Amino acid sequence: MMSKPKRLHPTAMIFKILEMIKDSIIGLLPLAVLILRDGFFGYIFYIVIGIVALMITSSIIYWLRFTYEVTDDEIRIEQGLFIRKKRYISKNRIQSIDLTQSVIHRIFGLTKVQIETAGSDRDVDASLSSVQMVEGERIHDELKSTNGVENDEEELDNFDFHPDPKREVTTKRLVIAGSTSGSLGVLLGLFGFLFSQMESILPESFYDEMFAFFLSLAINVIVILVIVVVLVLYLLGILGTVIKYGKFTITRYENELFITRGLLEKKQMTIPLKRIQAVGITESIIRQPFGFCTVYVEIAGGEVQEGSGTKTLLFPILKKTEVKSFLDDILPEYAHIPENMNPAPKRALPYYLVRALFIPVIALIATFIFIPEWYIIPVIVFILGAILGYLNYRAVGYHLDEELNELTLSYRRIGKETVLLKHRRIQSITKSKHIIQRKQNLASIHVSLLNNFGGRHIFINELNLKDIHKITDWYSLR
């Protein structure tokens, strides 16, 4: 047990500088473009020197004034120069303790310790950005010793655990995940944005010469270049998925799930079972025809991880037929997946088509009025909208198991979602119907859950009114 406050490893200053750069780069980018465009290039050197000096000074002060201490009952953190903050987190309030190793951490044998409590406020949680790996393991063991998720056989040596059921993802599956993730669209958008800014950044003469060079190329050469660029971006998307989820392993313990992943940044996270509110199965519009899906969980409390949204990934890619056996091993509490769902009635189809075609119809009318020669584009969008509306209708369904006290809902926005719910985890169920639905004995349902973003809301539209009554009676009478 630590007897006096300790400082972070000196590399914490590097991570603080990187954090400041990351937080400020979006704000500084427009300023840099403006300076380059207006010819104030000579001032950049002094501006950069000033910013670097400020960041270095701030990081040194941050390191000197940041101390932590683990006692019998809590972890204490003090930080700040002018405003001194003292944070006390009781062991009993700690929900999970995650260890993360970036490339820099791994070079120096360090780790980042992320401590999460039951709340969703970032300021209530704690993060030790850089400590020795041995120190991180000791903090992990001491803080978990009384929080109800201890396992005497746990060993944190390089995140290598050897208990209970375990599942790993293969590199082949990760390549499939990357090739069907839809990241190509994101990369193309980023590439297009950067390309559009080249005129502002590059010298005008160089930009004009490059533009003239491309115009001089034959059309077949331009097509080949476009294909090469798209192919490179596609391969980069696959590579990014493999790097992010490489060596992905999930292990089930008595009271928690333990996940490790990452080739460059090695991340460990724990998910206490008592925080799991629901299990979801996502079938993207690209993966569904190939029979692949992703499994996630909704978690109550805890800090929202950057880029994760409201869902916590449980396994990056599985065959739909493998989900049952996966949950049998890892999360048997949610392993009951109904084979048949009660679908929406046929009279609900017009509602889904109207919702999907509202904007395409407006775009189609506007195109015929103002630019009729471009009519083919809104026509294609209209057809795609009609297909999506029909797929949304076909995806809707529910299954109620009163014996197991479980409700399963399925729906589609773009990808198909199937959510497995326990009665005790549902916060509220609301039914609604407007005048047209009332005449056709239809209604909609709104199910609310807790999660790490403040709440998850599931909307299922146009089910039979008697089915809605059945669900609400099951919830309220229980």
Side-chain angles (χ1 to χ4, degrees):
M1 184 65 65
M2 285 172 257
S3 59
K4 61 180 182 179
K6 290 189 174 184
R7 285 197 177 96
L8 301 175
H9 189 273
T11 52
M13 291 182 282
I14 298 177
F15 293 108
K16 187 63 177 178
I17 292 175
L18 294 176
E19 180 184 346
M20 288 187 287
I21 292 175
K22 180 181 177 181
D23 292 341
S24 60
I25 192 168
I26 296 178
L28 293 177
L29 184 60
L31 179 62
V33 172
L34 181 63
I35 291 174
L36 289 172
R37 176 177 294 178
D38 293 344
F40 295 105
F41 187 81
Y43 292 100
I44 291 182
F45 176 77
Y46 300 103
I47 294 174
V48 170
I49 291 297
I51 293 175
V52 170
L54 180 62
M55 288 183 175
I56 292 176
T57 302
S58 299
S59 64
I60 293 174
I61 294 174
Y62 164 80
W63 179 73
L64 289 173
R65 301 295 289 171
F66 189 107
T67 60
Y68 68 92
E69 178 184 5
V70 177
T71 67
D72 291 331
D73 302 317
E74 63 190 7
I75 179 171
R76 302 172 182 175
I77 296 177
E78 296 187 24
Q79 64 183 110
L81 177 61
F82 300 108
I83 301 176
R84 192 71 173 162
K85 294 183 179 179
K86 297 183 180 181
R87 189 180 307 165
Y88 305 89
I89 302 177
S90 171
K91 289 182 179 181
N92 295 324
R93 300 297 298 169
I94 294 175
Q95 296 290 331
S96 65
I97 306 159
D98 302 339
L99 303 183
T100 304
Q101 288 182 300
S102 67
V103 175
I104 299 176
H105 283 118
R106 297 173 76 174
I107 291 174
F108 295 100
L110 307 171
T111 186
K112 175 183 177 181
V113 182
Q114 182 72 38
I115 301 167
E116 293 187 2
T117 62
S120 58
D121 187 353
R122 182 186 298 268
D123 293 332
V124 176
D125 299 333
S127 177
L128 307 181
S129 61
S130 183
V131 297
Q132 290 288 344
M133 186 65 195
V134 175
E135 177 74 359
E137 294 171 0
R138 183 166 63 168
I139 295 171
H140 179 281
D141 290 340
E142 291 178 355
L143 292 180
K144 292 189 71 175
S145 61
T146 60
N147 72 350
V149 291
E150 181 185 9
N151 191 317
D152 294 334
E153 297 181 358
E154 288 182 2
E155 297 178 0
L156 280 174
D157 185 20
N158 294 323
F159 305 147
D160 189 15
F161 283 59
H162 301 282
D164 303 301
K166 177 186 294 186
R167 286 294 187 99
E168 300 177 358
V169 65
T170 63
T171 303
K172 179 181 177 180
R173 283 290 177 88
L174 286 178
V175 171
I176 295 174
S179 59
T180 58
S181 64
S183 59
L184 176 62
V186 178
L187 291 175
L188 282 174
L190 180 61
F191 179 80
F193 171 76
L194 294 176
F195 186 79
S196 66
Q197 299 301 313
M198 289 180 62
E199 183 180 6
S200 303
I201 299 175
L202 296 176
E204 185 176 352
S205 58
F206 179 80
Y207 181 83
D208 292 339
E209 291 174 4
M210 290 295 297
F211 188 73
F213 171 75
F214 278 106
L215 289 179
S216 66
L217 295 176
I219 186 65
N220 57 341
V221 176
I222 295 177
V223 170
I224 292 174
L225 287 176
V226 171
I227 293 174
V228 169
V229 170
V230 172
L231 181 61
V232 170
L233 292 176
Y234 182 68
L235 294 176
L236 286 176
I238 296 175
L239 180 62
T241 300
V242 173
I243 291 174
K244 182 177 181 180
Y245 296 111
K247 296 183 179 180
F248 187 102
T249 303
I250 180 170
T251 308
R252 165 66 185 255
Y253 291 89
E254 181 179 359
N255 297 299
E256 66 184 1
L257 301 177
F258 176 78
I259 296 175
T260 63
R261 66 168 174 82
L263 297 181
L264 295 181
E265 181 183 60
K266 195 170 185 180
K267 183 175 179 60
Q268 166 217 299
M269 68 177 297
T270 54
I271 303 176
L273 298 181
K274 62 183 180 181
R275 286 175 56 191
I276 295 177
Q277 305 298 300
V279 173
I281 303 166
T282 300
E283 301 169 77
S284 71
I285 203 164
I286 301 175
R287 291 177 180 171
Q288 189 176 3
F290 299 99
F292 287 103
C293 64
T294 298
V295 181
Y296 66 89
V297 290
E298 297 284 355
I299 296 179
E303 180 183 327
V304 178
Q305 299 296 321
E306 182 179 357
S308 67
T310 67
K311 303 172 183 177
T312 300
L313 183 72
L314 207 61
F315 209 77
I317 187 167
L318 280 170
K319 276 282 190 181
K320 184 68 181 295
T321 55
E322 298 170 348
V323 174
K324 177 68 168 60
S325 62
F326 170 78
L327 292 177
D328 281 334
D329 290 341
I330 302 300
L331 210 55
E333 298 88 344
Y334 289 88
H336 179 72
I337 303 176
E339 296 181 359
N340 299 309
M341 304 285 285
N342 297 296
K346 292 183 180 180
R347 60 185 182 278
L349 177 59
Y351 293 89
Y352 287 90
L353 292 177
V354 168
R355 274 192 290 267
L357 294 176
F358 181 74
I359 294 179
V361 166
I362 294 177
L364 187 62
I365 294 173
T367 303
F368 273 117
I369 294 175
F370 298 105
I371 43 175
E373 63 272 14
W374 290 91
Y375 75 94
I376 189 64
I377 296 178
V379 167
I380 293 175
V381 173
F382 179 88
I383 295 173
L384 293 176
I387 294 173
L388 181 60
Y390 180 73
L391 292 176
N392 289 347
Y393 160 74
R394 290 296 303 271
V396 168
Y398 83 96
H399 184 273
L400 184 60
D401 192 317
E402 298 189 52
E403 182 178 347
L404 295 176
N405 224 14
E406 294 178 350
L407 174 65
T408 303
L409 300 174
S410 65
Y411 62 96
R412 179 191 296 276
R413 297 297 178 260
I414 299 297
K416 182 180 178 181
E417 300 271 351
T418 303
V419 187
L420 311 175
L421 303 158
K422 297 284 188 182
H423 182 281
R424 67 182 184 276
R425 300 299 190 185
I426 299 174
Q427 297 299 303
S428 68
I429 292 182
T430 304
K431 62 181 176 183
S432 60
K433 53 184 177 179
H434 51 69
I435 187 170
I436 302 177
Q437 288 177 328
R438 190 180 300 118
K439 291 180 178 180
Q440 295 183 300
N441 286 323
L442 296 173
S444 300
I445 191 171
H446 170 202
V447 180
S448 298
L449 304 169
L450 290 176
N451 71 0
N452 59 3
F453 198 64
R456 168 76 191 279
H457 304 280
I458 303 171
F459 297 89
I460 306 294
N461 296 313
E462 284 83 44
L463 288 176
N464 277 312
L465 184 59
K466 64 178 182 179
D467 291 333
I468 298 292
H469 286 321
K470 183 179 179 181
I471 295 173
T472 54
D473 289 345
W474 163 80
Y475 179 71
S476 60
L477 295 179
R478 289 294 181 108

